């Protein structure tokens, strides 16, 4: 039970940190950092997957929310 709680606390902690740093990093950079961190936990994925999946997911989410749904996403001071 304790191991299961520890196993779940890391992804939920990462999501909480993601929400806290979203205003600073913005949606794009924050999402890529979160997905990269979650792909490296609990077991390491191949480097091409770790690089391609966060970038591809962020691009698809941008397209979906900005182009299709016309919903603005949080940006950082640099505009992304």
């Amino acid at each position: 039970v304790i191991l299961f709680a520890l196993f779940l606390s890391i992804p939920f902690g990462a999501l909480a940190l993601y929400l806290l740093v979203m205003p600073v990093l913005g949606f794009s950079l924050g999402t890529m950092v979160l997905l990269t961190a979650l792909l490296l936990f609990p077991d390491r994925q191949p480097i091409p997957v770790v690089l391609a999946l966060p970038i591809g997911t962020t691009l698809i989410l941008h397209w979906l929310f900005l182009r299709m749904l016309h919903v603005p996403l949080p940006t950082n001071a640099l505009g992304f």
Side-chain angles (χ1 to χ4, degrees):
V1 174
I2 294 173
L3 184 61
F4 183 70
L6 178 63
F7 184 75
L8 286 181
S9 68
I10 294 174
F12 284 118
L15 287 173
L17 185 61
Y18 172 69
L19 292 175
L20 290 174
V21 300
M22 177 76 71
V24 177
L25 294 180
F27 177 79
S28 301
L29 190 56
T31 301
M32 284 191 275
V33 169
L34 172 74
L35 290 175
T36 302
L38 290 178
L39 283 173
L40 294 174
F41 171 80
D43 48 61
R44 297 182 56 87
Q45 299 293 326
I47 295 299
V49 172
V50 171
L51 296 176
L53 193 61
I55 293 170
T57 301
T58 302
L59 290 174
I60 289 171
L61 288 173
H62 261 278
W63 174 77
L64 177 67
F65 282 100
L66 294 176
R67 302 285 185 208
M68 300 302 291
L69 299 174
H70 303 288
V71 175
L73 295 171
T75 57
N76 62 9
L78 299 176
F80 60 89

